[in-house]
Amino acid sequence: MEARKVIIIGTGPAGLTAAIYNARADLKPLVLEGHEPGGQLTLTTEVENFPGFASGVMGPELMGNMKQQAAKFGAEFLPVMCTEADLSKRPFVIKASNGQTYTAEAVIISTGASAKFLGLPHEKELTGRGVSTCATCDGFFYRDKIVHVVGGGDTAMEDATFITKFAKKVYLVHRKDTLRASKPMQERAFNNPKIEFIWDTAITEIKHSEAGVTGVVVENLKTGDKQERPTDGLFYAIGHTPNTKFLNGQLKTNEEGYLITTNDVETNIPGVFACGDVQDTYYRQAITAAGSGCQAAIKAERFLEGH
């Protein structure tokens, strides 16, 4: 086994910020990059709401810069996943997909939450080119355009309402004729003149060109009728899956599987910290993830000083 002071599981803005802070503290963190190195921002194009980039920055470029910054101070990166973690006692035992086993005096979990997709052809490759899973991130790019939003919960109502600040029309596609969303969120969407509901309907195909999404094919689940609808953007608002399966229930989670933290980033096991979307069900922004990564790194550093 290879012994480390700190192991960071996952990257993205949270894990990379934690790596920068721990590396600068001379803790020489080992970072297991995970199944999606760089996190969800590597699937986006231009990021305009991250402070310090007045002209915007490409998501992959931002994550690449963060990684280089952490490596500059001594963080070590491995392009592997954590397959198993034994958090029952210190030092913690971390097994990686390269077959290696490591021990750590402190662990930071920043594995994020993966957006749920419909499973349609080309949807992943069109992410950032008309397909989006983040209205707050991408809504601005659809000024005076037509947008379709998929979902029936609070997130779908919130996303659709937010996008109406920019788009000229938002169609909300839902598989049923009733919504899961809370009554206040439903009323807000129903009362918005820019939002039109398409009930009992599923999207079965995404039409696209070299430039990106041009339309969607929808099917009425009651009649079987299909229709092609033009659209400039397709937003998925059907939820996220927190990447916590490898923990095997050792850390407390809520009903949806997100890690429960106290004092911002502390889990129920001393010495194990969580940051970013794996424990954030509300903001899910790059800047808040980065902030929690800073918190986790400082907490880990002070934990090691006291132990």
Side-chain angles (χ1 to χ4, degrees):
M1 293 188 188
E2 186 176 333
R4 297 288 182 133
K5 292 180 181 177
V6 178
I7 290 180
I8 300 170
I9 305 174
T11 46
L16 292 174
T17 302
I20 291 169
Y21 272 79
N22 279 168
R24 290 187 75 249
D26 201 30
L27 294 176
K28 298 177 175 59
L30 176 65
V31 184
L32 308 185
E33 295 187 84
H35 74 287
E36 195 174 82
Q40 292 189 60
L41 276 188
T42 59
L43 301 176
T44 66
T45 50
E46 192 169 13
V47 179
E48 293 192 324
N49 57 3
F50 198 90
F53 296 91
S55 300
V57 60
M58 300 299 283
E61 179 187 358
L62 178 60
M63 294 300 94
N65 289 343
M66 283 189 178
K67 181 178 178 179
Q68 289 179 11
Q69 189 175 359
K72 170 186 173 183
F73 294 116
E76 180 183 349
F77 290 85
L78 289 179
V80 299
M81 295 177 58
C82 175
T83 57
E84 189 178 340
D86 183 356
L87 307 177
S88 60
K89 61 181 179 180
R90 293 177 61 238
F92 306 115
V93 178
I94 305 297
K95 294 183 179 180
S97 57
N98 61 357
Q100 297 295 313
T101 301
Y102 307 87
T103 64
E105 297 299 327
V107 170
I108 295 175
I109 299 171
S110 55
T111 46
S114 298
K116 294 179 181 178
F117 285 79
L118 294 175
L120 300 176
H122 309 296
E123 62 184 1
K124 293 290 182 69
E125 65 192 65
L126 289 168
T127 300
R129 296 194 298 125
V131 173
S132 175
T133 59
C134 180
T136 307
C137 310
D138 299 330
F140 175 82
F141 299 111
Y142 293 89
R143 188 175 297 277
D144 298 323
K145 296 183 181 295
I146 296 173
V147 169
H148 284 64
V149 176
V150 183
D154 280 354
T155 299
M157 302 306 112
E158 188 173 6
D159 285 1
T161 302
F162 176 82
I163 297 170
T164 60
K165 295 179 180 180
F166 311 102
K168 64 181 178 182
K169 189 69 176 181
V170 175
Y171 294 97
L172 210 157
V173 183
H174 187 43
R175 298 178 62 88
K176 300 179 180 180
D177 58 4
T178 57
L179 299 170
R180 302 186 312 276
S182 62
K183 291 297 182 182
M185 294 299 292
Q186 290 188 41
E187 289 302 316
R188 188 182 305 174
F190 287 144
N191 293 331
N192 192 313
K194 283 189 175 182
I195 298 176
E196 182 177 328
F197 285 81
I198 304 176
W199 302 105
D200 301 309
T201 298
I203 293 177
T204 60
E205 185 181 349
I206 303 173
K207 295 293 185 179
H208 60 95
S209 65
E210 287 294 324
V213 172
T214 59
V216 292
V217 176
V218 299
E219 179 182 357
N220 185 293
L221 299 177
K222 288 187 174 180
T223 65
D225 292 340
K226 288 189 175 183
Q227 174 191 15
E228 183 175 335
R229 302 178 57 87
T231 193
D232 300 297
L234 175 60
F235 283 78
Y236 288 175
I238 53 178
H240 292 73
T241 302
N243 300 313
T244 56
K245 188 176 181 180
F246 69 97
L247 296 170
N248 291 319
Q250 296 175 89
L251 297 178
K252 291 182 179 179
T253 64
N254 66 10
E255 292 180 354
E256 296 175 307
Y258 289 89
L259 296 181
I260 296 174
T261 54
T262 56
N263 297 320
D264 298 316
V265 293
E266 297 175 7
T267 71
N268 57 292
I269 296 179
V272 179
F273 307 91
C275 55
D277 286 9
V278 75
Q279 51 88 235
D280 176 13
T281 62
Y282 188 80
Y283 296 104
R284 296 195 186 105
Q285 298 299 300
I287 188 62
T288 52
S292 68
C294 167
Q295 291 175 309
I298 292 175
K299 287 273 190 177
E301 180 186 354
R302 294 178 179 172
F303 174 84
L304 292 174
E305 288 175 353
H307 295 78

